[in-house]
């Protein structure tokens, strides 16, 4: 992995954070969360009244998850460079961990 692609990978992490905040908190309005004292009917009405807004915000958050992949690849590349020897178990652990990490962001947005 050359230096230019690694820089793009690092910057994609910033894009991920920005898009996630814009989509989740800004557009979908999930921050702050609804009051815990709100009843079921009030929560259902909140979701029904803002359905398009919530779906749009979750779509932006779903797109943000794509920017997590280049950042993850950059981190894995650096871990592999640091790890010395023929066997690199931490690199493979990072690979599996980041794969699960991306899924952690993709599935909730798809459910919404």
């Amino acid at each position: 992995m050359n230096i230019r692609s690694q820089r793009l990978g690092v910057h994609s992490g910033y894009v991920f954070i920005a898009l996630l905040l814009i989509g989740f908190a800004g557009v979908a309005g999930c921050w702050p969360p609804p009051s815990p004292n709100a009843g079921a009917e009030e929560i259902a009405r909140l979701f029904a009244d803002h359905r398009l807004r919530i779906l749009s915000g979750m779509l932006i958050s779903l797109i943000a998850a794509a920017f997590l992949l280049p950042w993850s690849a950059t981190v894995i590349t650096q871990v592999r460079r640091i790890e010395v020897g023929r066997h690199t178990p931490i690199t493979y652990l990072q690979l599996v961990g980041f794969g699960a990490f991306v899924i952690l962001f993709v599935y909730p947005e798809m459910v919404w």
Side-chain angles (χ1 to χ4, degrees):
M1 195 175 220
N2 63 25
I3 194 80
R4 184 170 185 265
S5 63
Q6 288 185 33
R7 282 192 181 131
L8 287 173
V10 169
H11 293 302
S12 73
Y14 296 127
V15 173
F16 164 73
I17 292 170
L19 285 176
L20 184 68
L21 289 175
I22 289 168
F24 192 77
V27 176
C30 292
W31 190 261
S35 172
N37 297 328
E41 292 174 3
E42 187 178 348
I43 298 293
R45 187 175 48 250
L46 175 75
F47 287 143
D49 292 346
H50 300 289
R51 184 173 188 267
L52 184 60
R53 180 178 160 187
I54 292 170
L55 288 174
S56 300
M58 290 302 121
L59 181 62
I60 293 170
S61 298
L62 186 63
I63 292 168
F67 289 95
L68 194 54
L69 292 172
W71 179 77
S72 302
T74 303
V75 172
I76 291 168
T77 301
Q78 291 303 313
V79 169
R80 185 171 182 217
R81 185 183 63 86
I82 292 168
E83 205 170 18
V84 179
R86 183 172 166 221
H87 301 287
T88 56
I90 297 174
T91 302
Y92 296 117
L93 181 65
Q94 286 275 324
L95 183 64
V96 171
F98 277 126
F101 189 56
V102 170
I103 290 171
L104 175 73
F105 285 100
V106 170
Y107 280 166
E109 278 94 14
M110 286 175 38
V111 169
W112 272 96

